[in-house]
Amino acid sequence: MSVMDSLFDGKIYPGEQIVPDNPEYDKTNREIDALMKRLEETLEKKEYDMVEELCDLLSVSEDIQNKEIFRYGMSMGMRLMREAYESPFLMSEDKEQENA
């Protein structure tokens, strides 16, 4: 199946499939989990619920930002490909091959 078909059919989820393979990422997530547990044990339920709501809102904000970064990266990649394809150097190579 082509990439285009997979995207159209909803079989590719870049935002969900990419998990950083970075020890710092794992360490940071463990620290976040530990801090959330301490907050849950320390704060009143109402206060902890507000912390969870804040985390949820930050997650939504990050998702929006990541989507825009993805769009920008895809657009930049396509523009780069187009520029490379339309390069005078590439065109002169094609003409040389046609004349050979």
Side-chain angles (χ1 to χ4, degrees):
M1 179 176 278
S2 75
V3 173
M4 249 190 211
D5 288 338
S6 295
L7 277 171
F8 181 80
D9 293 338
K11 294 180 180 174
I12 297 177
Y13 306 98
E16 296 174 6
Q17 291 175 328
I18 304 301
V19 177
D21 184 23
N22 181 321
E24 190 66 25
Y25 176 81
D26 295 332
K27 178 181 177 247
T28 301
N29 280 325
R30 285 192 302 274
E31 290 174 1
I32 290 169
D33 290 341
L35 179 57
M36 289 298 288
K37 185 174 178 121
R38 284 189 311 202
L39 287 169
E40 185 176 22
E41 294 168 353
T42 306
L43 298 175
E44 298 290 328
K45 179 170 177 11
K46 185 177 179 180
E47 293 169 326
Y48 182 74
D49 288 346
M50 288 173 37
V51 170
E52 282 190 315
E53 184 179 352
L54 172 63
C55 290
D56 291 343
L57 290 171
L58 286 170
S59 180
V60 170
S61 176
E62 289 170 356
D63 285 346
I64 293 167
Q65 182 180 25
N66 287 337
K67 184 184 278 188
E68 292 304 314
I69 291 168
F70 177 78
R71 286 180 185 185
Y72 178 80
M74 288 291 292
S75 176
M76 182 64 66
M78 289 180 188
R79 285 188 282 167
L80 181 61
M81 288 176 57
R82 188 174 113 207
E83 184 176 313
Y85 182 75
E86 293 174 350
S87 163
F89 175 75
L90 183 63
M91 289 179 185
S92 65
E93 273 188 358
D94 290 342
K95 286 181 183 176
E96 288 175 14
Q97 289 178 358
E98 287 175 6
N99 294 333

